[in-house]
Amino acid sequence: MSTGHLTIDLGAIVANWRALDAMSAGHVETGATVKANAYSLGAAPVSRALAKAGCRTFFVAAAEEGAAVRQSVGDKPRVFVYSGHMAGDTDMIGDLGLIPLLNSIEQMTRHIEALPGHPFGIQLDSGMNRLGMEPEEWFAVRDLVLKQGPKLIISHLACGDEPAHPMNAQQLDQFRAMTDGLQVPLSLSATAGVLLGPEYHFAMTRPGIGLYGGLPFAEASPVAAVSIPVIQTRDLEEGEPVGYGNAWIAERPTRIATIAAGYADGIIRAASNNGTLFAGCKPCKLVGRVSMDMLTIDITDLDRTPSALEILGPDQGIDALAEQAGTIGHEILTALGNRYQRRYRGAP
């Protein structure tokens, strides 16, 4: 193959979901966030695997994503839409039984008028200032909302991946103040909130990145492996440059392998001259700039020229790669391009 291989371990995703589910005591339900095409790993196969494992509730960012999940899991699992009921979404929400998480009075009005009696949830802003009704807006319409019977009320933590951050307790208190006494299922926690402990769990958790092998769930099983084929090798003398802008100069006789992936395939350009790939368990330095379709790798110390090099796998996970590029594991996953030959394994 002339393009890289992306191997996705569905069994590991299921194992991560079960591990996060086990952290919630009592009658807490564990859903799954499969937005952004399940963090680019494939919403259809990921959702099917999780549904077979017992997941009954899925969360997506937009109604269009919900349509793909609904097609994959059938009619029974619930599919909530974080962006709510946007203009133009009415037919899709109604026909597919999606459940919008209404973020404003405007969305609530649109939903009640366009789809009277159709299920909905509510998103509250407990301090992140991103999506959801703020306290004043919420208290103005709360009684009307409750008469309509919301299926779930959620909010989202801004600093959940920093356990000691005072914002966590502040948002917890605000969420409780906005929902005190309500007989409606509540949800505050994604992956980071699950790890903060039971007081953050409420009736539903909705992990995302932890399902896919990323921090802050340090015990997560790795999910994605990326192997990239070698196109060509060449031998350089000391002092010869590599790549655009002569960004790297050989300091010794060097063998360079040019491999078939670049920033068009989600290899973050900021990793230029600072990335690592692996031949088996042997590290090889990414040298020169990350190009659109190619990377140049120093393989001088290998005993033989490999047919491919691995940038994600057992020796390097998404967060280690993210650190090299000055980003987070979420971006590493969601940036993975469409040119990889995808393989799925470990489906239940």
Side-chain angles (χ1 to χ4, degrees):
M1 293 288 185
S2 60
T3 55
H5 289 94
L6 169 58
T7 301
I8 299 149
D9 189 341
L10 296 173
I13 294 175
V14 168
N16 291 335
W17 179 79
R18 286 176 171 154
L20 289 162
D21 181 53
M23 295 179 189
S24 302
H27 300 287
V28 179
E29 180 185 349
T30 301
T33 295
V34 292
K35 63 182 181 177
N37 194 28
Y39 288 54
S40 89
L41 299 182
V46 168
S47 298
R48 280 195 297 267
L50 288 170
K52 287 180 181 178
C55 184
R56 306 188 305 276
T57 304
F58 295 89
F59 294 84
V60 296
E64 290 82 358
E65 295 179 347
V69 173
R70 174 62 73 214
Q71 185 176 11
S72 302
V73 300
D75 295 334
K76 288 186 178 180
R78 298 186 299 174
V79 181
F80 285 93
V81 181
Y82 285 129
S83 63
H85 190 151
M86 300 287 286
D89 286 350
T90 299
D91 288 345
M92 191 176 299
I93 289 171
D95 293 345
L96 299 176
L98 307 179
I99 307 175
L101 290 160
L102 307 178
N103 292 291
S104 64
I105 293 175
E106 177 187 8
Q107 286 198 348
M108 186 183 73
T109 302
R110 176 184 298 127
H111 186 76
I112 292 173
E113 290 180 352
L115 294 171
H118 186 90
F120 69 94
I122 294 290
Q123 185 156 198
L124 302 178
D125 178 12
S126 58
M128 193 176 186
N129 288 312
R130 193 175 64 168
L131 275 181
M133 297 187 191
E134 295 185 80
E136 183 177 349
E137 182 181 18
W138 168 238
F139 286 118
V141 298
R142 188 172 72 168
D143 290 345
L144 173 60
V145 170
L146 295 176
K147 288 179 182 179
Q148 302 292 326
K151 300 301 181 183
L152 185 68
I153 297 177
I154 79 163
S155 190
H156 192 63
L157 296 170
C159 303
D161 55 352
E162 301 176 59
H165 200 293
M167 186 67 171
N168 295 320
Q170 180 180 326
Q171 284 192 260
L172 178 61
D173 290 345
Q174 182 65 70
F175 188 57
R176 284 174 170 164
M178 296 172 80
T179 59
D180 184 48
L182 302 186
Q183 301 302 306
V184 180
L186 306 176
S187 177
L188 180 60
S189 292
T191 300
V194 174
L195 303 176
L196 288 177
E199 63 181 335
Y200 287 86
H201 294 171
F202 293 92
M204 166 84 69
T205 64
R206 45 183 207 279
I209 188 62
L211 302 179
Y212 310 107
L215 293 174
F217 186 24
E219 292 76 28
S221 299
V223 168
V226 172
S227 176
I228 305 169
V230 173
I231 303 172
Q232 184 180 6
T233 61
R234 67 186 64 243
D235 295 312
L236 275 60
E237 299 295 332
E238 180 181 346
E240 287 195 85
V242 171
Y244 284 118
N246 294 357
W248 186 84
I249 307 294
E251 297 180 351
R252 59 171 180 168
T254 303
R255 170 155 280 205
I256 294 293
T258 300
I259 65 175
Y263 55 76
D265 305 287
I267 312 301
I268 307 300
R269 192 171 182 269
S272 298
N273 274 333
N274 195 39
T276 302
L277 289 88
F278 287 83
C281 60
K282 295 182 179 179
C284 303
K285 196 70 176 176
L286 189 163
V287 299
R289 291 183 186 170
V290 173
S291 302
M292 181 181 291
D293 313 297
M294 288 171 280
L295 308 174
T296 42
I297 315 300
D298 183 349
I299 62 168
T300 308
D301 296 329
L302 298 182
D303 296 331
R304 61 182 181 84
T305 299
S307 60
L309 292 166
E310 195 166 71
I311 196 166
L312 285 176
D315 295 294
Q316 178 167 262
I318 57 173
D319 293 292
L321 183 58
E323 185 175 357
Q324 297 166 18
T327 185
I328 56 176
H330 304 62
E331 184 177 11
I332 294 297
L333 281 181
T334 56
L336 293 175
N338 296 321
R339 294 193 290 194
Y340 294 109
Q341 304 295 315
R342 290 172 176 247
R343 301 167 174 167
Y344 291 91
R345 62 184 181 88

